[in-house]
Amino acid sequence: MKLILTGVTGAAGIQIFRQAVLDAAITKITVLSRRALPSWMDIPENDKTDVIVLKDFLDYPSDLPARLAEHDACVWALGKSSVGLSDEEYTRITYDYTMHFVNSLQETRTKDKTGEPFRFVFVSGEGADPSGKSNLKFARIKGMTEKALFDLPQSSNITASVMRPAYFFPSKDHPSDRDNIRSSTAKAMDCFMTPIMKTILPSMYTPIEDLGLFAVEAAKGRWSDERLFPNSKMRELIKALRTLEIQQ
């Protein structure tokens, strides 16, 4: 299976990247990144990863859509906090980048309707509002992106699914993640919030290892009869999957 990843230098994306590298069913990984991957990234050595550096996620090289169409799936974890961004800036990063990828791919894949649908997994967030009524920038624009993905016509030959993780933080097993992804303030907040979320509000917490595993399994086509995965559903399915693995 050939997989496309974005956002791999973020807390969610880097864990998804690790999981994909370790998964024997994934034979090729293509990372779309705005810059070369930094040396601090703690990723298992592998010979199946290619990195394509894109200076502008709204302006692809002419040959890129055809290259992307050779893949089977994508996990789109590219994103940024809405804090401090204008509506226009957050829309460009969250909606425009995502839909430019999907539309570019759609134009290529509709020419070949004989293959299996391309699986597109969008990492959204708990609280996203596809109705567009929310006053929260994050909820409204993430929701707008979800709706656009779910409205893709069958002729696109693309099947979109949406993950809505809740609060998560970089893996404690990889200190370089926390040191390079989180600010000092965010790291302090992680230390404060994690025990609270785990014990008092577990429904609003997503273990990063579960997030990575879920994203890769969804990209591989597991749970293909469902398209929207709130945090509670994600955790339920991962628990069942881990139980099944133990039994086997």
Side-chain angles (χ1 to χ4, degrees), residues 13 18 26 32 34 57 88 91 110 132 150:
R18 287 192 186 100
I26 297 175
L32 303 183
R34 282 172 283 191
F57 269 74
E88 181 181 0
T91 298
T110 50
F150 287 149

Side-chain angles (χ1 to χ4, degrees), residues 15 163 205-216 234-235 238-239 242:
Q15 189 65 31
M163 298 169 51
Y205 168 66
T206 307
I208 195 69
E209 293 79 10
D210 287 359
L211 190 159
L213 177 59
F214 188 94
V216 170
M234 288 170 53
R235 297 198 64 178
I238 284 296
K239 182 179 180 180
R242 293 193 188 281

Side-chain angles (χ1 to χ4, degrees), residues 152-165:
L152 286 171
Q154 187 173 359
S155 61
S156 70
N157 208 22
I158 299 172
T159 299
S161 58
V162 170
M163 298 169 51
R164 287 183 180 171

Side-chain angles (χ1 to χ4, degrees), residues 17 56 102:
F17 189 9
D56 186 350
V102 170

Side-chain angles (χ1 to χ4, degrees), residues 47 66 97 107 110 128 142 152 174 199 213 236 246:
D47 58 1
Y97 287 179
E107 291 174 4
T110 50
K142 282 283 192 181
L152 286 171
H174 301 277
T199 57
L213 177 59
E236 173 189 326
I246 292 172

